[in-house]
Structures are given as C-alpha cells and as structure tokens.
Amino acid sequence: MRRALPGRTDHVVVVGAGLAGLSAALHLLGAGRRVTVVERDLLPGGRAGRLDMGGYRIDTGPTVLTMPDIADEAFAAVGDSLRARVELTALAPAYRARFADGSALDVHTGAEAMAAEVERFAGPAEAAGYLRLRRWLERLHRAQMRRFIDANFDSPLNLLNTDLARLAVLGGFGRLDARIGRFLGDERLRRVFTFQSLYAGVAPARALAAYAVIAYMDTVAGVYFPRGGMHALPRAMADAARDAGADLRYGQRVTRLERSGSRVTAVVTDRDRIACDAVVLTPDLPVAYRLLGRRPRRPLRLRHAPSAVVLHAGTDRTWPQLAHHTIDFGAAWHRTFTELTRTGRLMSDPSLLITRPTATDPGLAPPGRHLHYVLAPCPNTDIGPDAVAWRELGPRYRQSLLRELERRGLDGFESAVEEECLVTPAGWQAQGHAAGTPFSAAHTFSQTGPFRPRNLVRGTENAVLAGCGTTPGVGVPTVLLSGKLAAARVTGLPGPAPGRPHAAPADVKETTA
C-alpha cells in the first residue's frame, strides 16, 4: 500500500479539466467522493482543447490516441464506458513513414500486415527481425505496466520487485537505439521504433531501452481516432463526470489556495471560494508549486523536453501521399537530436509529423476542405530561442516550413491554405507551460519513475499533483494514469489494475487512410 492523504477527503477540488483532471475526477467520483472541477477555459480539455476557425474544428493538443482502455477505465469507475460516449476508429495504417531517399513504409499494428510491409520495404531478414522485436516489445510492456507505469512511488526502494529483474533481463537498462538495432539492421526501420523518444526529451542513442514501451503503444497496441477529433475524449469525460455528480465550473481562474497549517482548506478563484478537504492540482508544475507556495528540493534543476512549432492549416485540397498520420523524416537524424536537445538550434534538416484528421473524419472541415496539422520539433526556451525571440522568428519559420513541405512533394501547400494558426514556444509559454514546451519534464533516468517530481508535495498534507510533469509522465495514456494515481493518493484505494491486455474497446471501427 502506497501513502495516502491523511484526514478527511470527502470533498475534493480538482484544478484543471484536462485529461489528468478529468481522469482524477472520474476515479474520485467512483470512490464516493464529492468532486468540484475548476477550469480556467470555457470548455474542458486543457492541452487537448478545441479551436473553431472558419468552419474548421482544430484539435490544439495531442493528435494520437493509443491504449484507449486506459480511458475506458476512468469511465468504468462511474459505471460508464468510453464506447458509449465516443466513436473510435482504429487507424490502418497507424502511421506512414516517408524518408529522404523517396521510400515510404506504412506502419501497421497487426503482426502479419506489418511483417509483410517490412518484407516489401527491406526484405525477409528485416521482417523476421521485426517479429522478434514485436515479441520483445510485448514482454517489455508486461514487465513495466503494473509496477513502473501504473504505479505510485514513495521511494526508489519501490523499484525493488520481480518486474525490475525481468526488465533488466530484457535489456531495459541498455540504450534504446542499440537495443532496437539488435532486431533491425535497416536504419530507416530503426527510426520508426525509436523516434518516439524525442517526445520524451531524450535522443535514442541516450534513452533507456525501457522507453521502447512508447513504441509498443504506437506500433503494437494500435492508434485510434475519435469521431469529432481528439477533443471528443475530454468532452465525453466531462459529460460522464457531470452525469456522475461532479460540479464543473468553467471560466474560473484559481488565484490562490487558503491554508490552515499544512492543509489546504479552500480553493479561491476569481469568482468563488470553494471549501474543500483535499485538492488535486493539474496545472504545469511551476503554476502548481506557485499556488502551493513551495516547491520540492531537487539536487539538479528539472530538464525539459524539446518543444514544437505547430502549423494548423485548413486547405482547399489535400495530397494523396499523406495518411492520417505521416512522419516525414529528413536525411539527418543524429544531428537533429543534437540540435534539439543539446545545442538549442532549429532543425537544419527537419523531421515532421503531418496529421490529416479529415482523412478519417471529413466533418472536421467544411465540405470539400481538408485539415492539416504540421508539427516541427524545436528546442525549448531553456536552451533555444526564448519567447521574445520567437515572436519575430515565428513568421520566418512558418515560411521555412512551407518551403520544406513543397520541396517534399506537397506542391501548392501555401496557396491552398484558407485558414491557419501557428503555435510556437512563445504560445506554449503563454499558456503556462514551463520552458515553452507542451511536453513538460524530459524522461531522463533522473526524472523517471520514483525520480520524477512526486505527486505528493512535502509540507502540504492534502494536496496531490497530476498531469504530464509528475508520475508517470508525458503522453495521453500516462496522463490519464496520472489522474488515476492522484485519485488513489486521495482515497487510499489502488483502483482497478489493468488486468486485461491493452487493446481497443469493443465496437471500434477500422479505417484505411
């Protein structure tokens, strides 16, 4: 049993109606707590927000949904279900990978389909290596999920369990790039199974092999898309929480926490004072610590993940070479990570994630129109250009991105744009994200598991943190789990452990883009 909050916890105020806050709210409601959710915006979602512009319905945050049964677990806490609230489509392919040499690979989550695609792309030896890699990824996921990802930590000693030994035997404490290289010789294929470490803030050559569990989520467990866009998930969670009795208060900014000794007694907004027995704080860590009036002592300063420039573009045409998700790799690879995580320079040969959600849900754009989301990783403001510099740099970088897209075969992209929104690190920082990055603290070894900022804060006995900056980390599945883990700290209950394989809920459609 992990530590839980002492004293009464009958009424809990959750600050923030993002995925973490809504997950916490549902799990708390399921445990019999009275819950009030306070959100500064006028709608739920947090990072997974919505922008309506000229008839285009734009997701402002994550575009990839994996392991939807973790979301289903939050709905199940109140006797509801994800499939009753959201129509999910399984993407086939999950991604399309395009390379600088002109080759392309469709990434399938089915073993047979992917093995056949790898054989077409790189030959039978690589296809056999892929099947061995897939089995290793499945074992890696089983070794990590219950004890390391879906788990609260009170001490590094909590790591000492049989799954730690299994993880060591599997090579989880080696380097990611080298471990994937044991299965795949083709450098292009290795990129497909290691690029995910970028969003964890660590280059594949330096990341622990254990982080390949992110590749498991993408390439084995499957990638899904909700009808209505990714924002449909937090909207459905908010509806389920409301129907289960939560008091949802939008358009209220938390200004301070009232305290009596070591306990928070009320959450004060610009409109209300809400007395409470406990509080779950989901804003980015600097905001949460400022509200608490204290921050934990760490031997080293937090290191943040790279940021991203995102161009949302509503266009009057699309390009058939694009799948729902397309990863367009530049020729450079190792240099890209050096630029993003060490020297703080913009990518000299960019690798881009291009998402075309209207490939699966045409209703996100006006009739005959298309929506494209171009994500270009960039340094965070700790090591790269600061927010002030980005206000001038942003328009120039937009032009650079458009030229790069046209050079890579998306002819006429700029002239096809009808509506657009550019988000740079300056925009992320204005939203309250530390170091101008939506990807929060990097997943270095010293910032992972029991070494990541804890969801309990020393000196405040009835406050819990949730969100991507705390346990277990960055990404939609892990952020949902952070809400569950925060609820467990409040209630003292472990919550339903994931006892079934992580797969799609029933009634999931499949689409080919």
Side-chain angles (χ1 to χ4, degrees):
M1 176 68 71
R2 298 293 185 256
R3 284 177 54 200
L5 302 187
R8 288 184 53 179
T9 58
D10 297 347
H11 178 209
V12 185
V13 174
V14 177
V15 178
L19 293 174
L22 293 168
S23 173
L26 288 167
H27 284 286
L28 288 166
L29 289 161
R33 298 310 191 268
R34 183 161 68 92
V35 176
T36 301
V37 181
V38 182
E39 168 57 47
R40 67 181 179 181
D41 292 331
L42 297 176
L43 72 171
R47 282 173 170 84
R50 162 62 56 78
L51 174 65
D52 293 304
M53 189 170 57
Y56 294 93
R57 299 160 62 195
I58 298 169
D59 285 316
T60 60
T63 62
V64 178
L65 176 61
T66 60
M67 305 180 81
D69 64 310
I70 293 177
D72 194 35
E73 197 178 325
F75 286 95
V78 294
D80 211 320
S81 74
L82 173 63
R83 65 178 177 271
R85 298 273 184 176
V86 180
E87 180 184 330
L88 286 184
T89 297
L91 300 184
Y95 293 96
R96 176 166 297 148
R98 295 176 3 125
F99 301 92
D101 64 2
S103 60
L105 171 82
D106 281 352
V107 178
H108 299 281
T109 53
E112 291 184 9
M114 186 59 181
E117 176 69 353
V118 171
E119 182 167 353
R120 177 201 66 79
F121 181 78
E126 294 294 276
Y130 157 73
L131 291 173
R132 292 194 305 274
L133 170 61
R134 183 186 179 94
R135 290 191 290 271
W136 178 74
L137 289 172
E138 289 169 340
R139 293 197 298 272
L140 191 74
H141 170 257
R142 286 195 297 271
Q144 290 191 74
M145 189 64 197
R146 189 181 300 270
R147 298 287 190 91
F148 301 111
I149 299 174
D150 189 6
N152 277 315
F153 290 95
D154 293 331
S155 159
L157 295 177
N158 296 147
L159 286 172
L160 301 178
N161 56 61
T162 55
D163 285 329
L164 182 72
R166 291 192 187 97
L167 189 57
V169 169
L170 288 168
F173 297 109
R175 296 302 174 190
L176 176 61
D177 200 37
R179 176 58 57 169
I180 299 298
R182 293 191 178 194
F183 301 99
L184 300 171
D186 190 296
E187 193 266 349
R188 298 167 301 172
L189 287 174
R190 291 201 300 273
R191 292 189 190 187
V192 170
F193 292 93
T194 60
F195 82 89
Q196 297 88 349
S197 73
L198 171 62
Y199 303 110
V202 187
R206 299 176 61 235
L208 291 179
Y211 296 157
V213 72
I214 310 174
Y216 167 88
M217 296 177 185
D218 282 355
T219 66
V220 177
V223 176
Y224 302 87
F225 190 70
R227 179 162 296 280
M230 285 290 290
H231 180 67
L233 175 59
R235 190 170 64 244
M237 294 176 74
D239 289 345
R242 181 201 60 218
D243 292 349
D247 179 6
L248 301 172
R249 304 189 188 187
Y250 298 114
Q252 295 198 32
R253 183 180 296 273
V254 174
T255 58
R256 62 189 176 91
L257 304 178
E258 284 188 9
R259 302 173 67 99
S260 176
S262 61
R263 292 186 71 84
V264 175
T265 56
V267 174
V268 180
T269 77
D270 49 9
R271 287 166 51 188
D272 290 320
R273 176 188 180 276
I274 309 166
C276 63
D277 300 310
V279 61
V280 176
L281 297 169
T282 71
D284 221 22
L285 291 179
V287 177
Y289 292 148
R290 187 166 63 247
L291 287 170
L292 289 166
R294 64 201 64 203
R295 64 177 57 241
R297 293 188 299 272
R298 293 181 63 87
L300 298 173
R301 182 184 177 190
L302 272 181
R303 179 181 156 197
H304 290 88
S307 184
V309 172
V310 179
L311 175 64
H312 301 282
T315 63
D316 61 12
R317 60 168 292 196
T318 191
W319 293 263
Q321 62 266 46
L322 297 177
H324 185 116
H325 295 295
T326 301
I327 308 164
D328 201 304
F329 290 104
W333 186 238
H334 300 294
R335 186 174 77 227
T336 292
F337 282 95
T338 299
E339 290 166 340
L340 292 173
T341 65
R342 296 202 169 200
T343 65
R345 296 175 181 168
L346 298 177
M347 291 183 292
S348 54
D349 183 15
S351 291
L352 307 172
L353 170 63
I354 306 169
T355 296
R356 183 170 60 117
T358 43
T360 303
D361 186 355
L364 296 173
R369 299 298 191 264
H370 306 271
L371 191 55
H372 299 85
Y373 164 114
V374 182
L375 184 151
C378 69
N380 63 50
T381 57
D382 280 347
I383 66 168
D386 63 16
V388 174
W390 269 108
R391 294 188 187 106
E392 180 182 345
L393 179 59
R396 297 204 310 271
Y397 194 66
R398 169 193 175 275
Q399 286 302 119
S400 175
L401 273 180
L402 291 171
R403 286 194 299 270
E404 191 64 31
L405 292 171
E406 303 234 4
R407 190 181 70 79
R408 296 188 185 189
L410 304 189
D411 301 320
F413 192 97
E414 182 172 15
S415 62
V417 175
E418 295 183 328
E419 298 281 352
E420 67 175 278
C421 175
L422 183 74
V423 186
T424 72
W428 300 123
Q429 189 161 307
Q431 293 178 39
H433 302 321
T437 173
F439 303 114
S440 194
H443 278 265
T444 59
F445 179 78
S446 62
Q447 297 180 177
T448 298
F451 309 113
R452 198 160 182 82
R454 304 262 180 97
N455 56 8
L456 294 179
V457 180
R458 191 185 304 275
T460 305
E461 65 180 37
N462 65 335
V464 189
L465 304 181
C468 59
T470 185
T471 303
V474 178
V476 171
T478 40
V479 163
L480 290 167
L481 285 174
S482 81
K484 172 189 168 184
L485 295 173
R489 291 292 199 186
V490 174
T491 65
L493 302 172
R500 61 190 186 281
H502 285 279
D507 305 331
V508 171
K509 298 181 179 180
E510 183 171 291
T511 186
T512 301

